Amino acid sequence: MASTSRGDALPKVQCPNHPDAMLVEDYRAGDMICPECGLVVGDRVIDVGSEWRTFSNDKAAKDPSRVGDAQNPLLNGGDLTTMISKGTGAASFDEFGNSKYQNRRTMSSSDRAMLNAFKEITNMADRINLPRNIIDRTNNLFKQVYEQKSLKGRSNDAIASACLYIACRQEGVPRTFKEICAVSRISKKEIGRCFKLILKALETSVDLITTGDFMSRFCSNLGLPKQVQIAATYIARKAVELDLVPGRSPISVAAAAIYMASQASAEKKTQKEIGDIAGVADVTIRQSYRLIYPRAADLFPPDFKFDTPVDKLPQL
């Protein structure tokens, strides 16, 4: 006979002769067996495995598994609904040709809208290589906004794009509006409007972006060596500390710092190359560069190895 411990909230099946032994489960017979004495401690154990064996090289179009998708906590009811497929045999229809078995509850319009938004969010995140935790945060933000109905009249795609931008900022991997705009079908102006409305509706905030948030990614995409990246980061930080670029966007300051560091090194990049990666116009880079150029000698790190001296840098 199997014994159970009374101290726990749930009974614990164990061998009465060897209570410390790890029981072995025989999935074929549905038995729990003591490995020390061979006593069948429990029988009729439920097999939680799949009903069919599935092979990786199966070419069948249909999956024989009877379970559906994983539970989605973001949908009402956790998406634990049962859908009855359309019958094909004569027993599925009455004498008038109507189906005998019908779905009493199909997916609601709100769940359908949220599912479409979640798919769009996943597609956008995949196109700019964002991790799963940002997708989950974006989905939660969209669900909160959608249920509050505080952005009526705005398209779900615009709300989803703004939620993705906010999630990136909150997770410490910010993306520019232009980067979000490039993977969505929404204009930069509309994403910016939704961004402000969502922050107000959810009473949340995001950290201010700095030049360091974009520097490593921009330099990596430009193929610049580590020395240039360190110098560009140092230049941008010193320019902000010395208040040389008041009112300028951190993205434009980062682009100007990269341009200055690359021109002083052997890996020179043009304004257009940097502008294409950073998403800023050439004239914007020139304007920020002109502000920091007069103090160029004070901006470079002390150990930087110049390929082009400071006095030979382009003046624009």
Side-chain angles (χ1 to χ4, degrees), residues 278-297:
V280 295
D282 299 359
V283 63
T284 306
I285 297 176
R286 284 197 295 272
Q287 289 172 352
S288 297
Y289 179 82
R290 287 169 185 156
L291 293 174
I292 64 176
Y293 176 78
R295 299 287 299 274

Side-chain angles (χ1 to χ4, degrees), residues 93-98:
F93 303 92
D94 57 19
E95 65 266 20
F96 302 106
N98 299 320

Side-chain angles (χ1 to χ4, degrees), residues 227-244:
Q227 181 197 12
V228 178
Q229 178 185 330
I230 295 173
T233 305
Y234 189 89
I235 291 168
R237 187 173 67 249
K238 288 289 288 184
V240 173
E241 291 175 357
L242 297 173
D243 199 22
L244 302 178

Side-chain angles (χ1 to χ4, degrees), residues 75 107-118 142 146 156:
L75 300 178
M107 183 177 291
S108 64
S109 59
S110 62
D111 280 356
R112 192 177 299 109
M114 280 197 288
L115 267 181
N116 291 334
F118 295 160
F142 182 88
Y146 189 84
N156 287 341

